[in-house]
Amino acid sequence: MPLTTPSVFPPPSKAFAKFPSRRSVVHSTKGIVSCTQPLAAKCGIDVLEAGGNCADAAVAVAAGLNMTEPCSTGIGGDMFCLFYDAKTKKVSALNGSGRSGGKCTLERIRSSLGLKDGESGRIPMPSVHAVSVPGAAAGWVDTVERFGSGKVSLQQILAPAIELGEKGFPVSEGVAHFWKKSEAQIRTASPNGGEMLKSDPSAPDGVRAPNAGEIKKNPTLAQTFRALATEGKKGFYTGRIATELVKVVQDLGGHLELDDLAHHAETGSEPVEAISLKFRGQNIAQTLKDNVLGGGGDETPDLGLELWEHPPNGQGIVALMALGVLQELERAGTIPTWRPADFNSAQYLHAVIEALRIAFADASWFVTDPNVERVPSASLVSQPYLAERAALFNPEKASDILHHGSPALQSSDTVYFAAADAGGNAISFINSNYGGFGTCIVPRGCGFTLQNRAANFSLDAGHPNVLAPRKRPYHTIIPAAVTNLHDGSLHSVFGVMGGFMQPQGHVQVLLGQIVGGLSPQQALDAPRVCIGNGMDRGGVLDRTVYVEEGMPAETVEGLRKLGHKVEIVTEMERAQFGRGQIIRWSVDPIENLGVWSAGSDPRGDGAAYPL
């Protein structure tokens, strides 16, 4: 008889990597998918092979990740995407985040949480009051309708994930670790938690978290996908699924109603204008000059990169502001034009950390639902305001607590993946439960957990991000894209998942390529820093700098000498630094043939997979 699956792996531990490893950049001329789960990537590759484009493939990957990595993402959460159209050279944004319930007033939720007048507090991450209307289902449908090829149906797109749920799939190592970590909460969060666990007659209540390599089936989630595939948004936001979702929330004391789900189905996802920052710093023009197809030459008017982010209620503006602050510091001569050898040095990271602190000080106040409150996005990324905020930087020491500025006076867990197709189109896509399995609350017979995104609302009546009925909260999930300034052609789509780490990851992996001269894979391999991510570790404005193991010792000591409170993060706790994906676009100058080149984060279980 053959051996059982546990024989493949060592005993479970918190070890991140037994030995150092390496990955190469993955190339393709036809298309590529880069994500954290191989089986989910296969879902996307199947759709590309069937004639779909990158947007069709992205929805297939999102569904596949819901099956294979439910500890990070799912149809019970939200999504955002940026789509690059190769024909028009336009970056389009889609906001697929859900809203609070119509009866979720500040007074009602504060009362439900037992908060007295004048008492500060927040919505706890595991609380039923952290559940907002899931936006992902509508977002998937709208992504296919607005950006899809029209050559494959939603049934075809969701079919690979449905098969995974019905026939079962082997669980990957990282997912098994986080599944086990959340098992206790899954059991107690709702009466239906067993749907998210593996059947095992020898386990308590006949279920347990699956181990690495074991088969997990999720037929109820497959049924949910079938309803969405055949009925569209109505299959999720009305009928059986909606009824079970509202029932479990109300049974646990929450205030969502069927009208809230119907409202989201009617409203749908919101097409919005992507926001951007033109970056010409760090000698980027000279770097690009010899790499422009046909030769840059002196006649090229503008060489640089334009970073595109999703606008508020997403936090992508943090990455734009931090990059803009760094550009202003270099322009003023406060920081140098760095060399590749300076990448991840103490002085380099000091500037990056402080720029991020300045950006977060503003974002933590201004980022909210722009349909409810005014968000001064254009002013926040304007050159005069960024220069003003850059003046807060001290090259000799770490800053004290920073406060938000006043730009108006001058006129505003998660999975990330990317896909590209043979037509030159690319999509940057992010889908999330927020913290792990979200609330771990499971609607009966539906096979997914409900997100805890409403925990990001403020309960302070004077804060722009204060909870209000049918409002979207400050959102951490952000996709990114980069275009070339000289002609609007695509440079890359990329992202880094992980709460408030996401804009920090965007800045670090992009600068890794610009300053460090790193390949997409090397930029993801490099150790990172993180200022408090606001979820497992303190608040986003906490003064601690978390540094990933592998950072040079002289860098760590240099940061401490500059006054930073440094904490080294090791083993599986390194999940705090997120998991990223990058897909670059270039053209072979001799063959005149486009090439996709992708990297995938070693902190995840996946890789980049070519068509």
Side-chain angles (χ1 to χ4, degrees):
M1 295 294 287
L3 301 177
T4 60
T5 50
S7 67
V8 177
F9 301 96
S13 74
K14 294 184 178 181
F16 176 77
K18 188 71 173 177
F19 305 105
S21 184
R22 69 173 295 275
R23 298 182 180 192
S24 297
V25 174
V26 175
H27 305 283
S28 175
T29 59
K30 297 179 180 179
I32 207 160
V33 173
S34 187
C35 74
T36 55
Q37 294 298 320
L39 294 174
K42 180 63 164 57
C43 295
I45 293 294
D46 287 350
V47 169
L48 288 175
E49 289 178 334
N53 70 358
C54 63
D56 301 321
V59 173
V61 174
L65 284 166
N66 189 172
M67 281 292 178
T68 58
E69 195 174 319
C71 54
S72 302
T73 189
I75 200 169
D78 288 339
M79 60 73 64
F80 292 89
C81 72
L82 295 177
F83 176 77
Y84 178 82
D85 188 319
K87 292 181 179 178
T88 63
K89 296 184 178 180
K90 178 178 173 58
V91 177
S92 299
L94 184 68
N95 184 336
S97 62
R99 299 168 176 84
S100 56
K103 291 188 176 180
C104 293
T105 63
L106 177 63
E107 295 74 22
R108 183 186 293 268
I109 298 303
R110 285 183 62 89
S111 175
S112 296
L113 292 171
L115 294 174
K116 299 176 182 178
D117 289 346
E119 183 182 359
S120 63
R122 298 196 64 85
I123 300 174
M125 295 279 279
S127 170
V128 69
H129 304 300
V131 178
S132 51
V133 174
W140 295 359
V141 173
D142 290 332
T143 296
V144 172
E145 290 180 352
R146 290 173 182 158
F147 307 131
S149 65
K151 298 178 181 179
V152 288
S153 66
L154 191 58
Q155 290 97 317
Q156 289 174 280
I157 290 169
L158 296 180
I162 290 171
E163 182 177 351
L164 288 174
E166 291 177 341
K167 295 185 177 179
F169 58 90
V171 175
S172 63
E173 293 174 73
V175 168
H177 171 84
F178 292 110
W179 216 317
K180 182 65 176 177
K181 188 175 179 180
S182 298
E183 180 178 347
Q185 187 182 344
I186 292 171
R187 289 180 178 276
T188 58
S190 69
N192 316 310
E195 292 184 33
M196 300 303 298
L197 300 173
K198 177 180 173 64
S199 297
D200 181 350
S202 66
D205 300 321
V207 291
R208 59 170 173 79
N211 296 315
E214 292 185 333
I215 301 296
K216 175 71 176 78
K217 297 180 179 180
N218 194 338
T220 53
L221 181 56
Q223 291 174 12
T224 295
F225 286 173
R226 285 191 185 280
L228 185 68
T230 56
E231 302 174 51
K233 296 175 192 176
K234 290 197 305 181
F236 185 89
Y237 293 99
T238 65
R240 181 188 69 85
I241 295 170
T243 299
E244 291 297 343
L245 192 160
V246 169
K247 181 180 186 303
V248 72
V249 168
Q250 293 186 352
D251 286 352
L252 294 169
H255 306 293
L256 285 185
E257 299 189 335
L258 285 170
D259 281 349
D260 297 319
L261 275 71
H263 172 265
H264 192 82
E266 294 165 5
T267 306
S269 309
E270 183 182 6
V272 292
E273 291 295 322
I275 56 177
S276 67
L277 180 117
K278 294 178 172 64
F279 188 76
R280 301 178 179 88
Q282 295 302 321
N283 206 28
I284 188 68
Q286 191 61 39
T287 302
L288 296 178
K289 183 177 180 181
D290 296 331
N291 291 288
V292 175
L293 188 65
D298 295 333
E299 74 279 3
T300 303
D302 195 6
L303 286 175
L305 299 176
E306 187 164 7
L307 173 61
W308 297 86
E309 296 277 358
H310 203 285
N313 56 316
Q315 64 172 347
I317 199 166
V318 173
L320 299 183
M321 291 185 68
L323 200 63
V325 166
L326 290 169
Q327 185 164 242
E328 294 305 318
L329 289 172
E330 183 187 10
R331 181 180 287 136
T334 309
I335 63 173
T337 299
W338 290 306
R339 301 162 299 147
D342 296 319
F343 176 71
N344 272 358
S345 65
Q347 287 294 338
Y348 168 88
L349 287 178
H350 173 60
V352 170
I353 290 164
E354 294 299 298
L356 286 164
R357 289 201 194 285
I358 292 168
F360 271 122
D362 279 331
S364 64
W365 178 261
F366 289 108
V367 172
T368 185
D369 188 342
N371 294 329
V372 179
E373 306 281 350
R374 178 175 175 270
V375 181
S377 297
S379 297
L380 286 168
V381 296
S382 68
Q383 189 274 329
Y385 183 69
L386 292 170
E388 175 188 313
R389 296 297 280 168
L392 296 173
F393 173 72
N394 185 335
E396 303 300 327
K397 67 175 184 177
S399 61
D400 295 323
I401 298 294
L402 298 171
H403 300 286
H404 66 83
S406 300
L409 299 178
Q410 298 191 32
S411 38
S412 157
D413 258 74
T414 302
V415 290
Y416 170 81
F417 55 93
D421 59 42
N425 309 301
I427 191 165
S428 186
F429 200 108
I430 198 157
N431 206 115
S432 176
N433 296 326
Y434 191 26
F437 281 91
T439 58
C440 291
I441 295 170
V442 181
R444 184 173 64 89
C446 296
F448 62 86
T449 56
L450 295 173
Q451 66 180 354
N452 46 12
R453 187 60 61 178
N456 250 7
F457 278 119
S458 170
L459 297 182
D460 176 358
H463 198 289
N465 189 42
V466 64
L467 172 67
R470 301 236 164 116
K471 182 177 180 180
R472 288 166 164 158
Y474 179 121
H475 233 288
T476 58
I477 64 175
I478 49 171
V482 180
T483 54
N484 296 302
L485 278 179
H486 64 278
D487 67 349
S489 60
L490 184 68
H491 174 275
S492 58
V493 287
F494 77 104
V496 178
M497 55 69 68
F500 293 94
M501 176 64 203
Q502 293 177 55
Q504 303 180 58
H506 285 197
V507 171
Q508 290 177 71
V509 301
L510 181 58
L511 287 179
Q513 296 169 83
I514 295 172
V515 173
L518 304 179
S519 72
Q521 186 59 56
Q522 290 170 333
L524 293 167
D525 291 344
R528 300 177 193 144
V529 297
C530 176
I531 55 178
N533 70 9
M535 291 166 64
D536 294 333
R537 297 172 177 268
V540 72
L541 302 182
D542 178 76
R543 309 314 295 159
T544 306
V545 177
Y546 299 98
V547 177
E548 190 172 17
E549 66 176 329
M551 194 68 75
E554 57 269 27
T555 295
V556 174
E557 183 58 28
L559 289 173
R560 287 176 171 148
K561 286 180 179 178
L562 286 163
H564 292 284
K565 179 185 174 185
V566 176
E567 181 177 321
I568 307 297
V569 180
T570 64
E571 303 299 355
M572 290 302 290
E573 294 301 310
R574 291 168 64 183
Q576 176 183 353
F577 299 99
R579 293 167 293 163
Q581 318 291 334
I582 302 172
I583 300 180
R584 290 274 298 268
W585 171 252
S586 63
V587 176
D588 184 301
I590 297 175
E591 303 295 336
N592 197 32
L593 186 64
V595 179
W596 296 110
S597 303
S600 183
D601 205 307
R603 299 162 188 82
D605 290 322
Y609 301 88
L611 177 63

